[in-house]
Amino acid sequence: MPFDQSVSQAVRERSVDVPEYFFYLLFQAQRRRDLTFDMALAEGGLNINRWRALSVIRRIHGCTMKDLAGFTAIDRTTLTRAVDQMVEQGLVLRATPPGDRRKVVLTLTDEGEAFFQAALSVLNDFNRVALEGVPEDRQLVVLDVLGRILRNLCATEEQLAELLTFGGRERRRVVA
């Protein structure tokens, strides 16, 4: 397809299954962004899964393994390994509250925060490149579409609200 032809026009002309192709392109865009970011993270000893975990731990005050699994959509075994590695690197602290020995609470160390900020700068550069030429009003339309898809896929309104607000305001870390 010529680059000046719109993807939606090409889809209509070729009678492609729109939902299937939509999720194919969504996957391809996310995967290619992740692969590029993954290579940049490797210099600091992280990968995309550990980055996602680090980002959630930073964002959710009193982050538990359940929170981490829910917001990263990474299986618990992989997450446990990722958290172990980040604890070894000095990026994350793992604590057990006195009242519940089964619960694990994760927080970022100062080193973890510094690493997060450096990696965030790189990620923001990747995001700008990925969204180049896409006007903000079109980005907002896509956000609405993705929000609707999540609504359709979430089991409960509570789950949807948790995902859309990244844990809710009362649990978010306040950043000055």
Side-chain angles (χ1 to χ4, degrees), residues 51-61 63 67-68 70-72 116 150 158-173:
W51 160 257
R52 287 196 175 110
L54 192 69
S55 178
V56 170
I57 293 165
R58 182 185 182 274
R59 182 103 184 216
I60 305 292
H61 178 72
C63 185
D67 293 331
L68 202 52
F71 289 109
T72 62
F116 174 85
L150 274 176
E158 292 79 25
Q159 182 186 34
L160 175 66
E162 279 278 307
L163 293 174
L164 292 179
T165 63
F166 207 154
R169 257 181 260 215
E170 71 282 354
R171 295 184 61 210
R172 267 198 229 153
R173 181 179 195 187

Side-chain angles (χ1 to χ4, degrees), residues 77-171:
T77 304
T78 302
L79 275 178
T80 299
R81 201 169 33 251
V83 168
D84 288 346
Q85 291 167 343
M86 291 187 298
V87 168
E88 287 174 18
Q89 287 178 281
L91 303 175
V92 171
L93 291 175
R94 180 178 17 218
T96 304
D100 188 352
R101 295 184 59 197
R102 295 169 297 167
K103 189 175 185 178
V104 172
V105 177
L106 306 165
T107 55
L108 242 55
T109 63
D110 290 342
E111 186 178 339
E113 177 66 26
F115 186 88
F116 174 85
Q117 291 299 329
L120 183 62
S121 175
V122 174
L123 178 68
N124 286 336
D125 289 344
F126 287 147
N127 289 345
R128 277 189 284 283
V129 169
L131 292 170
E132 190 172 314
V134 181
E136 186 175 330
D137 63 324
R138 299 296 293 267
Q139 293 175 42
L140 292 171
V141 169
V142 173
L143 288 178
D144 287 340
V145 169
L146 292 173
R148 183 59 189 182
I149 291 168
L150 274 176
R151 178 180 306 282
N152 295 340
L153 296 174
C154 285
T156 66
E157 285 294 319
E158 292 79 25
Q159 182 186 34
L160 175 66
E162 279 278 307
L163 293 174
L164 292 179
T165 63
F166 207 154
R169 257 181 260 215
E170 71 282 354
R171 295 184 61 210

